[in-house]
Amino acid sequence: MHAPRAFFAHIFAASVFAASILAACLLAACTSTSAHSTIHTAPAAQDALLPAEITWRSIAPGISCFDHTVQGIPAAYHVVRIELAARRIRLDAYPPAGVSGSFAPQDIRSFAAASGSTVVVNTTPFSYAQGGLLRAAGIHRLHGMQASPPAERYAALAFSGQREADGTYTQLHAAVIGSQTEAACAGYSCVFGGFFVILQDGTPAAFSRESMDSRTAAGTNSDGSVLWLLCAEGERKRQSAGLSFQQCAYILRELGCTDALQFDGGGASQLCIGGQSVLPYTPPHAIGCCLGISIDPDAAEAQHH
């Protein structure tokens, strides 16, 4: 026997209605996770990201740090604060000035020892070239000498100042560049590419989703006189799941940053202080690009009038 046509008409109408409801739900879901939406961390979780009282440890004149483990996530991270104003600052980087194209991987502790840098952090993301060599995926400029071209879709950390005869910088200021265009990078003697801006004018950037991983981030205050570096552990998930972009932005903003960006993350996230890695584990691979910073022992800037 055949069912009446009215029955099939009813079934067809119900199917169309259900499909329309499903489509509407999917559209709403896609809209709420678009690149322009904000994923909020619960206020209580945000508060837990920072210790109730921060105890900064002095590393050198003008350089201090603290470490924090967030219970419950769990997440462990390290922050370095560097006062750039009224100091003589030495900037070193890998690959060094004069090197362009591909380069060999580098061990961050070996670089710290060779350069004598007080603080070393990984910077520009990289790709693999032939023969086990690496190639920077974005701008890498040291003392006006550029090793790789800019990548406009990514952000960068830039420095401007007066370079003295001994190679140090005075009147040094840092800035976060939102897009690595030639125009935006002009006027800066040192520029190190990263990934994305996570904080701009005190406002955290919006991302479509929130994921935890090893992170390296850098931030500045409004006049660029202070630089913060953040490194989150994330290669041993049971001990530390890492941080999200949003959480890095929140931490840096609460510490005093107005602008911040993410450098290369994941297994590339590394930070050395005084020649020693802050990480309790051996990173899965050597770094591609890094920045070394140290301050003249006298910690006094030559006055320019």
Side-chain angles (χ1 to χ4, degrees), residues 183-224:
C185 296
Y188 293 101
S189 54
C190 299
V191 187
F192 306 101
F195 273 126
F196 310 107
V197 169
I198 58 172
L199 184 68
Q200 185 173 18
D201 296 329
T203 301
F207 293 92
S208 60
R209 62 192 181 93
E210 190 164 9
S211 60
M212 321 284 280
D213 203 351
S214 302
R215 305 289 183 195
T216 300
T220 67
N221 59 347
S222 58
D223 65 2

Side-chain angles (χ1 to χ4, degrees), residues 260-281:
L261 80 158
Q262 287 286 337
F263 279 131
D264 199 4
S269 288
Q270 298 187 47
L271 175 66
C272 267
I273 299 176
Q276 299 298 315
S277 173
V278 301
L279 302 176
Y281 51 82

Side-chain angles (χ1 to χ4, degrees), residues 104-174:
Q106 175 66 277
D107 178 79
I108 194 169
R109 289 170 297 184
S110 298
F111 174 81
S115 65
S117 299
T118 304
V119 177
V120 181
V121 66
N122 72 287
T123 55
T124 314
F126 57 88
S127 60
Y128 289 93
Q130 292 183 345
L133 299 179
L134 307 177
R135 189 179 300 273
I139 190 168
H140 180 90
R141 180 189 299 169
L142 179 63
H143 311 320
M145 304 179 71
Q146 194 157 300
S148 57
E152 293 189 13
R153 65 185 181 278
Y154 294 144
L157 178 68
F159 295 91
S160 62
Q162 175 65 43
R163 196 174 188 211
E164 306 297 336
D166 62 357
T168 61
Y169 284 90
T170 56
Q171 306 177 53
L172 191 67
H173 288 80

Side-chain angles (χ1 to χ4, degrees), residues 45 48-51 68-77 239 243 247 251:
L49 291 175
L50 287 161
H68 183 53
T69 299
V70 184
Q71 302 299 328
I73 296 179
Y77 66 86
Q239 286 75 29
L243 294 173
Q247 290 170 330
I251 292 168

